Amino acid sequence: MDLQYPLELIGTFVFAISGALAVRDREHDIFGAGFTGFITAIGGGTLRDVLLGSYPLVWIGDVYFLYAIFAGIFTAFIFPRIMLKLRRTMFLFDTLGIAFFTVLGVEKSLSLGVRPEIAAIMGMFSAVMGGVIRDTLVNEIPILFRKEIYASACLAGAILYLVLNYFGLHRDINLLISISVTISIRLIPVRYKLSLPRLD
């Protein structure tokens, strides 16, 4: 649990950067970039909490999440060229973020008493919906609908976590395995240009 909290903040920070950089090729000022970064960082978790009726929302109940978002926005604004050069690194952090937030979303959903099937969907929502909202705001095809394996990686990780949890695997080991599998399912297809079958 000691590692969980800083990873949540780091993930929020990175998602805020990715959202702010998403408007780099458009005529947006810092407020427009900041708004996009903010929505990207809090979108998935907020949607999950609203659907589950969990209040206060995470970023309202803990001001440090707001600080992480603001830090990400200003980092993107002050060092845009450096951030763009680190795009591959940011991609890896984003992948770590969606993997971790998937598991956190599942855990929070289970703690609120929902069925495992719903918890898996909520875990996926936690991870991907911020990016979907970001892409919609900047008028791009949401990553959810591109060839990349994204949401399906999160759903697979969520289901794996639930299965291992059902069989009583220690929480920390389950966390490590589920996050690692989610990351692998996300990275390997990108490396080898794999995708799910298309509907023709």
Side-chain angles (χ1 to χ4, degrees):
M1 293 297 290
D2 291 339
L3 184 61
Q4 174 178 321
Y5 186 65
L7 283 177
E8 286 187 78
L9 292 176
I10 292 171
T12 302
F13 171 78
V14 171
F15 285 158
I17 292 176
S18 72
L21 291 179
V23 300
R24 64 187 179 278
D25 296 325
R26 294 166 173 82
E27 295 182 0
H28 286 272
D29 57 19
I30 188 173
F31 183 83
F35 180 78
T36 308
F38 183 83
I39 292 298
T40 303
I42 61 99
T46 296
L47 178 61
R48 176 202 65 215
D49 289 349
V50 169
L51 290 174
L52 293 175
S54 175
Y55 300 99
L57 304 177
V58 172
W59 59 274
I60 294 177
D62 187 342
V63 72
Y64 286 105
F65 281 93
L66 279 180
Y67 294 159
I69 294 171
F70 294 149
I73 292 168
F74 282 109
T75 299
F77 186 76
I78 297 172
F79 306 109
R81 293 182 180 179
I82 295 176
M83 292 298 103
L84 291 174
K85 288 180 180 179
L86 292 174
R87 188 176 299 175
R88 180 171 296 180
T89 302
M90 298 305 294
F91 169 78
L92 293 175
F93 273 114
D94 180 76
T95 300
L96 178 61
I98 64 170
F100 200 80
F101 286 151
T102 294
V103 175
L104 290 176
V106 172
E107 287 188 331
K108 180 164 187 177
S109 301
L110 290 176
S111 72
L112 293 173
V114 304
R115 290 182 56 84
E117 300 92 326
I118 303 301
I121 295 173
M122 290 296 103
M124 181 183 67
F125 275 17
S126 300
V128 307
M129 289 309 294
V132 170
I133 297 171
R134 173 200 64 210
D135 293 341
T136 302
L137 286 175
V138 300
N139 199 29
E140 290 187 1
I141 298 175
I143 193 171
L144 196 64
F145 303 125
R146 301 178 204 165
K147 288 184 177 180
E148 294 182 24
I149 294 178
Y150 190 71
S152 51
C154 298
L155 185 59
I159 293 172
L160 176 62
Y161 182 87
L162 289 166
V163 170
L164 296 179
N165 183 64
Y166 176 81
F167 286 105
L169 189 66
H170 189 276
R171 187 256 184 188
D172 291 341
I173 299 175
N174 190 355
L175 187 71
L176 181 61
I177 292 174
S178 300
I179 287 176
S180 298
V181 169
T182 304
I183 291 172
S184 299
I185 296 174
R186 171 71 173 133
L187 293 182
I188 292 174
V190 171
R191 173 65 177 83
Y192 294 102
K193 297 180 172 30
L194 303 175
S195 61
L196 294 174
R198 297 181 59 183
L199 289 176
D200 294 322

